[in-house]
Amino acid sequence: MKVNGIIWNCFLLLILNPNKNLMLKEERQHAILNEVELHNRVLLTDLAEKLDVSIDTVRRDVKELDAENLLTKVHGGAVSLGFVNHSPARSNVYALDKKVSIAKKASTLLRNNSVILIDGGTTCLELARLLPTNIKLTCFTLSLPVAMELLGKPNVETIFIGGTLSRDSQIAVGSNTINALAQIKVDYSFIGTGYVDAEFGLTEFDWEVVQTKKAVINASKKTVLLCISEKLNSQHRFKTCDLNVISTMVTELEPWDKKLDAFKNMNIQLL
Amino acid sequence: MKVNGIIWNCFLLLILNPNKNLMLKEERQHAILNEVELHNRVLLTDLAEKLDVSIDTVRRDVKELDAENLLTKVHGGAVSLGFVNHSPARSNVYALDKKVSIAKKASTLLRNNSVILIDGGTTCLELARLLPTNIKLTCFTLSLPVAMELLGKPNVETIFIGGTLSRDSQIAVGSNTINALAQIKVDYSFIGTGYVDAEFGLTEFDWEVVQTKKAVINASKKTVLLCISEKLNSQHRFKTCDLNVISTMVTELEPWDKKLDAFKNMNIQLL
DNA sequence: AAATATATTGCAAAAAACAGCAAAATTAAA
DNA sequence: TTTAATTTTGCTGTTTTTTGCAATATATTT
């Protein structure tokens, strides 16, 4: 009788479990936070689809997370705190240790008197922070936080590429910026990306950011992509470029890691 | 894989069930804790099933464990302690000092759809911070901190004038900046100054900054000087301009204050 | 100004939490 | 061993929380 009940429950479990992906609210909010930290910006509709709940639920979750100061709710979506919060204390950068290791590896590419360009995003910001102090650099940037960081480096001459400022990415965008970029050619540009896929290349959430990144790539002899492995094999709406325009890709993984297999025969230096 | 786990649980249940009476409360709570630590989260219903006790019992257990701070009880289940995010709890408390009154007075000059330029310096930064939120503005700036501040204003479109960044003043300077400024004409520019004197005009410590400020003044129909009274009647090496090119001077003093006597018959609006 | 997208609000169904109570199990004492 | 006291457990009905839906309001874009 009792055993019958157990068998019955087992049966039910077997039948029903694959269908229902039951999720705790906390778990869901955790996933949302993760997504926001990873991509800096997400749409409520995308979240709802990904988590398989109604948009209302996602909206309520985001509202709560915003109230707890864990992210910033914006019209139609949410952005990470780091993007609107200009506090020098970046203790809450997502996957900071990975980004630090990426930045360290990337900085080995630098030579004395190199002319470089550093893009926006938390990984690039980390590079700016960890630039070696023993070599002289001329550094262009269009990111406000990166520029702030570079000002603290005595060995770096910083040139800000002006233009209309994008609120959430905190970088200069628009025609002005693109024109200014057209007039320079740097040795290396270090760029981040919202999403990267071996097949679809680099993609972004924001169309204007894509235009700017394209101009950045054109303004550099070699382009270095800084990207934590979590972003590999993801994609979004707007395409920046194919992977073959990237000279070097830096992740926190060892170059021979299996996760990088898809990128190995693509004429990209893996670091 | 998931199904295998379920089958395995069923099997365990069937085997172990006759012994279930041996399971003490403490033992059960230990099992719950184990499950939570293992999977970071757990549903009460799953626990009840797994441990073959009523949901109420599990609930009470989880409640106790929560009271002992061994896990965190949430609606529908429990999550491990490390799982819940401890909020960074940023406290954005910034003290409003005397410059606020200057900034407030200056902001009364603004009209809807005004195109303005805000210079660097702490007083100008305060203006950026206190810009009214109810009128739309297009705002140029060459100051990094001001730009950061402006990004937080939803009603302000911010354009950064690029150029080489000056380390100590945190503004863009140099030929690039001056060229860019030559191409715009704003309604109002709000500038600070290192030193001001009724006779000698505006002077600065830094030659490059002077060049930039000159270009700013040229790029504006009207120039507003923001200046705390402490700076009145002081001068330095490099001259920016005479006082007669200034349209409005804003101090924290009342316009009729005796300290402003020297500026009263100079065709300058005192605010 | 119209059209679209996003927010807000109220509501109802489902799930979960809670409080009180009685049966069962455990413990303590005779 | 038996009995009484205490704790634990499961059940019931009620309250609260969560969630999705629909209608309305607000915001954004064209």
Side-chain angles (χ1 to χ4, degrees), chain A residues 23 25 28 52-54 56-57 60-61 75:
Chain A
M23 213 174 190
K25 194 176 87 168
R28 201 179 48 232
D52 194 29
V53 289
S54 79
D56 304 72
T57 303
R60 273 184 277 241
D61 282 340
H75 195 90

Side-chain angles (χ1 to χ4, degrees), chain A residues 166-236:
Chain A
S166 154
R167 218 177 297 284
D168 18 74
S169 54
Q170 296 188 246
I171 62 172
V173 297
S175 54
N176 213 308
T177 307
I178 290 171
N179 280 339
L181 282 169
Q183 287 164 26
I184 62 174
K185 199 84 175 182
V186 301
D187 299 327
Y188 282 104
S189 68
F190 297 88
I191 68 169
T193 186
Y195 307 80
V196 60
D197 184 277
E199 189 180 346
F200 296 99
L202 281 61
T203 45
E204 291 286 342
F205 177 91
D206 189 322
W207 188 83
E208 275 228 292
V209 170
V210 162
Q211 305 312 310
T212 311
K213 279 196 202 298
K214 281 183 177 179
V216 166
I217 292 169
N218 273 329
S220 36
K221 298 178 191 162
K222 294 189 171 187
T223 303
V224 182
L225 175 65
L226 310 185
C227 180
I228 61 175
S229 65
E230 218 172 328
K231 286 182 178 176
L232 298 179
N233 307 313
S234 65
Q235 49 182 300
H236 216 274

Side-chain angles (χ1 to χ4, degrees), chain B residues 119-121 142 164-175 177-178 181 191-195 202-217 238-241:
Chain B
D119 185 26
L142 9 91
T164 306
L165 296 180
S166 153
R167 217 177 299 284
D168 22 74
S169 55
Q170 298 189 302
I171 62 171
V173 297
S175 54
T177 308
I178 291 170
L181 282 170
I191 68 170
T193 186
Y195 308 82
L202 281 60
T203 47
E204 291 284 343
F205 178 88
D206 188 324
W207 188 82
E208 277 228 289
V209 170
V210 164
Q211 305 311 310
T212 311
K213 279 198 202 297
K214 281 183 177 179
V216 166
I217 293 168
F238 303 112
K239 180 162 178 176
T240 305
C241 64

Side-chain angles (χ1 to χ4, degrees), chain A:
Chain A
M1 158 93 175
K2 186 102 188 183
V3 169
N4 268 342
I6 291 164
I7 290 175
W8 177 240
N9 283 336
C10 289
F11 179 63
L12 275 183
L13 260 178
L14 283 169
I15 298 293
L16 297 177
N17 204 57
N19 307 350
K20 267 207 169 176
N21 189 10
L22 209 38
M23 213 174 190
L24 290 173
K25 194 176 87 168
E26 270 66 21
E27 207 181 354
R28 201 179 48 232
Q29 296 192 351
H30 207 262
I32 291 174
L33 216 46
N34 200 59
E35 199 70 10
V36 169
E37 292 299 333
L38 185 61
H39 293 123
N40 289 323
R41 181 176 174 185
V42 290
L43 295 180
L44 295 189
T45 50
D46 288 353
L47 283 177
E49 186 170 354
K50 190 154 196 166
L51 301 173
D52 194 29
V53 289
S54 79
I55 187 124
D56 304 72
T57 303
V58 169
R59 185 173 285 120
R60 273 184 277 241
D61 282 340
V62 165
K63 207 169 175 181
E64 287 178 25
L65 290 169
D66 181 85
E68 295 173 56
N69 269 313
L70 294 170
L71 50 70
T72 307
K73 185 179 179 309
V74 297
H75 195 90
V79 297
S80 129
L81 275 188
F83 260 44
V84 288
N85 172 16
H86 18 82
S87 80
R90 72 268 172 251
S91 53
N92 53 348
V93 172
Y94 180 78
L96 182 61
D97 48 345
K98 289 177 187 172
K99 289 170 183 173
V100 166
S101 86
I102 292 175
K104 280 182 181 167
K105 284 199 269 185
S107 64
T108 63
L109 296 168
L110 301 171
R111 300 289 172 269
N112 206 28
N113 294 314
S114 285
V115 178
I116 66 173
L117 188 153
I118 300 183
D119 185 27
T122 49
T123 311
C124 287
L125 180 58
E126 216 51 48
L127 172 62
R129 203 163 263 145
L130 293 173
L131 278 185
T133 52
N134 57 334
I135 61 181
K136 279 196 69 171
L137 293 169
T138 300
C139 186
F140 289 82
T141 189
L142 10 89
S143 157
L144 240 38
V146 167
M148 281 287 199
E149 202 57 47
L150 293 176
L151 280 188
K153 301 276 177 177
N155 58 317
V156 179
E157 184 184 18
T158 311
I159 300 125
F160 195 95
I161 309 286
T164 307
L165 295 181
S166 154
R167 218 177 297 284
D168 18 74
S169 54
Q170 296 188 246
I171 62 172
V173 297
S175 54
N176 213 308
T177 307
I178 290 171
N179 280 339
L181 282 169
Q183 287 164 26
I184 62 174
K185 199 84 175 182
V186 301
D187 299 327
Y188 282 104
S189 68
F190 297 88
I191 68 169
T193 186
Y195 307 80
V196 60
D197 184 277
E199 189 180 346
F200 296 99
L202 281 61
T203 45
E204 291 286 342
F205 177 91
D206 189 322
W207 188 83
E208 275 228 292
V209 170
V210 162
Q211 305 312 310
T212 311
K213 279 196 202 298
K214 281 183 177 179
V216 166
I217 292 169
N218 273 329
S220 36
K221 298 178 191 162
K222 294 189 171 187
T223 303
V224 182
L225 175 65
L226 310 185
C227 180
I228 61 175
S229 65
E230 218 172 328
K231 286 182 178 176
L232 298 179
N233 307 313
S234 65
Q235 49 182 300
H236 216 274
R237 285 188 185 72
F238 304 112
K239 181 163 178 173
T240 306
C241 64
D242 273 319
L243 269 167
N244 57 31
V245 309
I246 302 295
S247 309
T248 309
M249 182 165 99
V250 189
T251 72
E252 84 280 12
L253 303 173
E254 301 290 349
W256 51 83
D257 196 292
K258 280 172 302 200
K259 291 177 194 160
L260 297 172
D261 278 351
F263 302 88
K264 269 175 190 156
N265 39 12
M266 290 185 92
N267 197 27
I268 295 181
Q269 180 190 13
L270 295 175
L271 252 187

Side-chain angles (χ1 to χ4, degrees), chain B residues 126-139:
Chain B
E126 211 54 46
L127 171 62
R129 204 166 261 147
L130 292 173
L131 278 185
T133 52
N134 56 336
I135 61 181
K136 280 194 70 169
L137 292 170
T138 300
C139 186

